[in-house]
Amino acid sequence: MAELQEPMPATAGVPRPPRSVGDEIRELQAIVGLFQDQLGAPGGVVNLHPLGAANVEKAQVAFGQACARLRAGLASYRDTTLASWAGLMAAGGEPAAAASYRAATAMRELSEMRRTTDVVHEDMAACQALLFDAAGDAVSRTLGDGRAGSVRLLIERLAASAKRLGLAHYTDVQPGRDGGEVTTVTLAGSVSVVDVDIGANADELKVKVSYVLDMEHDSRIDALMLRRLRAGDVRGFERLLGEMAALDKLTVAHPAASFIRSTFAVAATLAEIQRQELAALDGDLVELARSGSGIALLFMRHAGPATMYYLPAAVRYGLTAEQWGSLGSNTLEDAAELPGARWLSFAWEPSSTEHFFLPETCPRHCVDAEYMADAASGVRVVASPHPAIRGLEMRFLEPTHTRKQQQQEQPDDASDQLWLRYAAVARLEPELPACAMTVRGIVAVVSASAADGEAPDQAAEPPSVGRLDSPRLLDDAPTLEQLVRASCAPAPDTGAPFKATHSVGKHAFTVELDSPQIRGWSISRVPLASMRNVPAVVSLLRRQAIFNELVASCFSATGTSLSASGAAAEPVLAVAVKTHAGDPFRIDLCVRGAADDGAGQGVVLRVDETRSGISAWTHQALGVGGGSDILAALAAVSPAALTADAAHPKLSRVASIGVSIPTLVHWLTSYPDRL
């Protein structure tokens, strides 16, 4: 779970000379280049913010450290080399001047040689990484074809992967049950050990993960790594191995916090949150997917925990009761492949502020109502109302003191080792285009409201862990509608990027989105102040995902309607859609005949704030006349007028179930008598 998504260093296995002043300057250039590349990439500025793909906090810390090393290097150069040259020049005479000139020339030549050496080193490292990946792909193809020698190739590849990750590796051959041989390849870190048993054929595999520390193991990690190998996904297996190696190194570096144990604590927390939510929802898994904190599917995608926070409507209502049961029990093997699913994968990342890690006596962050916190363990129970499930109050463990209080009152306490500059981060897979309201809502949730040094209060936010600034957008940044459109399947270039033809039932119709209104960002990761942020963060992300699905339905063609002659049917309806910058979860639409400029049917849709529902109002219920410009009249309707009492029950249900404007239009035209 530590830095799960980051690639292995390109310089692995290539020795590097000692650092110089030039190295520090190049590191500063690389950090600046990271942000320049981000700005130049597709989406550019929408990803450059505290919730974007780049860890801004980590870059800020690295930049400060590089500047400090550069200052120290320059000061050392001034006090040694330049000072000695100044002494020689002060002695006077032509010999001293000549000696200084020769020394300066030698230094300049040495600098040029070092620059050339660095370029060669970087090229060698890049070639090494490229060849290693290509070799992994070749091994995967060999395993898939079942060719002779695949067992030997797999054994050699595992040994090479261990060496690249800094793991020890051992090979042991034992007789198998059927008279053949079983080769066990052991890949060992300081704390974790992975044993891979390979039979006479490469498809005779077994994977077992164990730990030197006395802790429970989750067999789902074994199953995940085994699935990767059986599928011939060697590089996927190596990514999992890299995640475990990173956790191993962090655990060795910080034994009190034990990142491996903390990873299992996060997994147990997600499972406990789901258990309490299901109990409050009478075991309704479908409702859990709509209003809970996601479906905890632990160790399904990474060597760390994950939760599926959103499923598209078509997938959600297409699952059988048996599949829902498997999802709830975390046994649906192909859950990670559900189309359109959105995930939160939890990882550890460096942070500019210190965060509290649970002591060994606390197996998870979320506890039940009977749990009594031991004051000696340095934790207390904080109650937090669930953002979407009425009457459910969650209980989480938090430190008894803020970091500042702990340093002032108990500077030598053992719990000091539980405060580390690492934070749990929820990584979105895939990234989610979001409006300012969602981004600022997340920032408000994860930023601590209690001032550093104040006594913690049961009703307050967690102790201060740093504050995230609300991001800003440039004037030419893409809108949310453009970001959602870009994430949809490519459509033919019709010259109208926000217009598409759909067919539902017997007739075709066009759906055209008015000029994009909503400024947008792309959220890739959410640094958490506490695990009790999870329910509120998921609620915000799910609301945004529902709105995005509604917008995306305007662009994604749902099929082609054919006439009796076999030709594509001409659109008989025209649907105009409008979004609102000031109310970014609202969509107004007007349905009328394709060649009719007269009255049509107006509808206002709005995604509910906490539950995964969509409320719908007809223009008649809002007191809007059926004139020629219904959209303009609807735009003048105040948000205060969109009350639950005025919403159309059946239309709201159709919108909530389908989460699709074409489906809603089909219902409107098929059952006009139900309005």
Side-chain angles (χ1 to χ4, degrees):
M1 183 166 127
E3 301 291 336
L4 298 186
Q5 308 280 336
E6 292 189 2
M8 279 182 279
T11 57
V14 179
R16 189 164 189 114
R19 295 182 67 86
S20 66
V21 170
D23 288 329
E24 305 303 343
I25 293 176
R26 278 185 286 276
E27 180 168 341
L28 289 172
Q29 292 173 332
I31 295 172
V32 174
L34 170 69
F35 293 98
Q36 290 177 331
D37 293 343
Q38 185 64 68
L39 286 171
V45 71
V46 299
N47 287 314
L48 194 57
H49 55 86
L51 307 183
N55 187 338
V56 179
E57 282 190 285
K58 180 180 177 181
Q60 288 174 332
V61 172
F63 189 85
Q65 293 173 344
C67 287
R69 290 194 300 267
L70 179 59
R71 285 194 296 267
L74 291 174
S76 175
Y77 181 75
R78 177 199 63 199
D79 297 337
T80 55
T81 304
L82 293 183
S84 63
W85 289 0
L88 287 173
M89 296 299 291
E94 185 176 345
S100 298
Y101 177 78
R102 288 194 299 271
T105 302
M107 291 291 292
R108 185 168 58 252
E109 292 175 350
L110 181 61
S111 178
E112 291 294 335
M113 292 174 58
R114 179 60 182 270
R115 186 178 295 109
T116 302
T117 303
D118 285 343
V119 172
V120 172
H121 175 271
E122 292 171 2
D123 289 344
M124 289 178 58
C127 291
Q128 183 192 53
L130 183 63
L131 290 172
F132 193 83
D133 291 342
D137 293 336
V139 173
S140 295
R141 288 193 296 270
T142 302
L143 292 175
D145 297 341
R147 284 178 277 177
S150 58
V151 171
R152 177 183 57 80
L153 281 176
L154 179 58
I155 293 172
E156 292 177 354
R157 178 68 182 192
L158 292 176
S161 299
K163 182 178 179 181
R164 197 162 188 252
L165 293 169
L167 303 174
H169 68 278
Y170 312 95
T171 302
D172 182 42
V173 180
Q174 297 289 341
R177 295 180 179 179
D178 56 355
E181 291 183 343
V182 176
T183 302
T184 300
V185 180
T186 300
L187 313 169
S190 300
V191 178
S192 56
V193 179
V194 179
D195 290 316
V196 182
D197 293 341
I198 308 172
N201 298 315
D203 56 350
E204 298 175 8
L205 296 167
K206 181 181 178 182
V207 178
K208 175 65 177 177
V209 178
S210 56
Y211 301 97
V212 175
L213 301 176
D214 184 18
M215 63 174 63
E216 293 185 10
H217 170 62
D218 197 310
S219 60
R220 286 171 289 198
I221 300 179
D222 304 343
L224 175 61
M225 301 186 81
L226 181 60
R227 284 199 302 272
R228 293 286 189 271
L229 281 182
R230 282 184 172 168
D233 187 5
V234 173
R235 291 173 63 182
F237 176 86
E238 290 170 344
R239 282 192 290 271
L240 296 173
L241 190 63
E243 294 168 9
M244 297 193 64
L247 282 174
D248 187 279
K249 292 173 183 177
L250 286 174
T251 298
V252 172
H254 308 284
S258 180
F259 279 79
I260 293 179
R261 177 178 53 76
S262 296
T263 297
F264 283 114
V266 171
T269 298
L270 296 177
E272 178 63 20
I273 291 174
Q274 177 173 304
R275 187 193 68 79
Q276 294 188 25
E277 290 175 340
L278 273 176
L281 297 171
D282 297 326
D284 189 341
L285 276 166
V286 178
E287 185 60 28
L288 177 72
R290 289 168 48 86
S291 56
S293 300
I295 299 176
L297 296 171
L298 313 176
F299 311 109
M300 278 284 183
R301 298 169 63 85
H302 298 284
T307 185
M308 184 168 57
Y309 74 90
Y310 184 70
L311 264 177
V315 178
R316 187 166 65 246
Y317 289 100
L319 294 175
T320 65
E322 182 180 358
Q323 288 174 316
W324 276 111
S326 298
L327 273 177
S329 60
N330 207 175
T331 56
L332 187 62
E333 287 193 1
D334 58 350
E337 310 303 326
L338 287 174
R342 293 188 172 274
W343 297 80
L344 289 180
S345 296
F346 292 82
W348 304 108
E349 288 186 5
S351 171
S352 60
T353 53
E354 292 182 312
H355 293 252
F356 181 75
F357 284 70
L358 288 179
E360 188 174 355
T361 55
C362 302
R364 60 180 180 269
H365 297 263
C366 182
V367 296
D368 54 30
E370 287 74 31
Y371 183 89
M372 299 295 293
D374 182 6
S377 63
V379 297
R380 62 192 176 96
V381 176
V382 176
S384 177
H386 197 282
I389 303 176
R390 290 185 179 180
L392 176 59
E393 190 172 69
M394 312 292 291
R395 291 158 52 87
F396 291 88
L397 297 181
E398 299 287 352
T400 54
H401 296 79
T402 66
R403 178 56 171 151
K404 186 174 181 179
Q405 287 176 327
Q406 197 271 337
Q407 289 175 323
Q408 292 175 345
E409 301 173 13
Q410 302 170 324
D412 299 324
D413 191 77
S415 63
D416 183 67
Q417 300 178 20
L418 297 175
W419 290 88
L420 298 175
R421 292 187 181 275
Y422 278 88
V425 175
R427 290 175 172 170
L428 282 72
E429 300 174 354
E431 62 185 20
L432 179 71
C435 64
M437 185 180 293
T438 297
V439 174
R440 289 169 183 154
I442 293 174
V443 169
V445 167
V446 302
S447 295
S449 60
D452 191 13
E454 292 182 353
D457 183 79
Q458 291 288 341
E461 288 292 323
S464 179
V465 290
R467 183 172 297 278
L468 296 175
D469 294 328
S470 295
R472 300 174 179 86
L473 276 180
L474 302 179
D475 291 338
D476 59 347
T479 63
L480 176 69
E481 296 91 337
Q482 290 170 329
L483 293 174
V484 173
R485 174 66 183 87
S487 67
C488 296
D493 185 7
T494 62
F498 297 106
K499 184 176 182 179
T501 301
H502 302 259
S503 66
V504 180
K506 299 179 180 180
H507 303 294
F509 51 89
T510 61
V511 177
E512 183 170 9
L513 179 67
D514 199 2
S515 57
Q517 299 289 326
I518 306 170
R519 291 297 180 185
W521 291 260
S522 255
I523 302 179
S524 301
R525 38 187 291 285
V526 179
L528 300 174
S530 163
M531 285 303 295
R532 71 184 177 108
N533 298 152
V534 171
V537 168
V538 168
S539 182
L540 291 167
L541 294 176
R542 183 170 51 236
R543 187 188 191 196
Q544 185 67 66
I546 294 171
F547 181 80
N548 290 1
E549 187 175 349
L550 266 179
V551 174
S553 71
C554 297
F555 314 131
S556 303
T558 55
T560 303
S561 179
L562 299 179
S563 64
S565 62
E570 289 294 328
V572 296
L573 294 173
V575 183
V577 179
K578 184 177 180 60
T579 54
H580 296 263
D583 193 354
F585 292 99
R586 169 179 169 177
I587 293 179
D588 299 348
L589 59 97
C590 175
V591 184
R592 57 165 50 95
D596 183 10
D597 295 331
Q601 177 61 53
V603 175
V604 174
L605 302 176
R606 198 170 193 276
V607 181
D608 297 341
E609 194 164 340
T610 54
R611 299 173 65 84
S612 298
I614 300 173
S615 297
W617 296 264
T618 62
H619 75 267
Q620 296 92 337
L622 296 173
V624 173
S628 60
D629 197 351
I630 294 180
L631 277 184
L634 288 175
V637 174
S638 168
L642 304 179
T643 62
D645 293 337
H648 193 286
K650 292 183 179 179
L651 198 58
S652 298
R653 178 169 174 77
V654 171
S656 299
I657 292 176
V659 195
S660 168
I661 288 177
T663 301
L664 184 69
V665 171
H666 171 66
W667 189 88
L668 283 170
T669 55
S670 300
Y671 307 102
D673 56 322
R674 299 187 184 182
L675 291 177

